[in-house]
Amino acid sequence: MTSPLVSAAWLKSNISAPDLRIIDASWFPSWIASANAGRAAYERGHIPGAVYFDIDDICAEESDLPHMMPDSVKFSSRVRKLGVGDGNRIVVYDSNDFIASARVWWMFRVMGHEDVVVLDGGLRAWEAEGGDLEDLPPIVTGGRHFTPRVQAHLIKSREQVREASSGATLPILDARPAGRFNGTEEEPRAGLPSGHIPGSVNIPSAKLVAPDGRMADEIQLKKLFDDYRAGPVVATCGSGVSAAVLALGLAQLGNWEAALYDGSWTEWASDKDNPVETSTA
């Protein structure tokens, strides 16, 4: 693989390819938008043929943590209902600066589907390219069988992150804004302290996004990731969504070995036995 991204111009030229599937993953955090704001955005207007992937629905039912990765059975069943299966090329986009399209890209990779990319710049780039929108969902015929081949190394548990933190065995990159990471600003989720996992490094996901909504250029990405451009790392954030933007940025630099701590800060800070560091640096 050379890049995890495709341009709006490429998508416009290839949108009619019979093996192509387009997924709208628009999602907005509950503290900045009302419930179902992502679906509402999809229904107002989406790329022709796009189906809607709801990360709050295609998630682990048994967990009280938000949008945790579902098991392979549920994932396979749900994406088949979206008309996605083996042999499909998948393009994921959203209307909020990679915040959930990167997450869905990562989810497909965890399930072993490698032919998945993210639309650089999302819906904004599509419209800037003169792409049409539609406001009706496509007619989805029976999808091909989706065969999961779980890539366990791309997802990390609390125990694995605890070990990485205490033994400094794996770099931990935190995608939250600096104030929350440093402990100088409150967490948006009630009852959670701010701060960070000991030994983790702050790389706010917003710094990976250029003003036009596209991924930052290679110079900026190299500056941000510095020593993390090769080898395994684990990305974390508030609840495992914006962390995937870091994984996407690293893949753009050629490092496809970034895993996600799925429970992220919501899980870590909810357990009073886990150490929390703060910093004004």
Side-chain angles (χ1 to χ4, degrees), residues 89-110:
R89 292 183 292 163
I90 301 169
V91 177
V92 191
Y93 75 93
D94 66 45
S95 52
N96 190 24
D97 292 346
F98 298 109
I99 192 106
S101 54
R103 167 81 186 187
V104 174
W105 165 83
W106 169 79
M107 291 174 75
F108 273 100
R109 293 189 63 236
V110 169

Side-chain angles (χ1 to χ4, degrees), residues 161-184:
V161 172
R162 194 180 282 149
E163 180 181 353
S165 171
S166 61
T169 57
L170 187 67
I172 303 171
L173 310 181
D174 192 318
R176 290 175 300 149
R180 290 165 59 189
F181 178 87
N182 292 330
T184 58

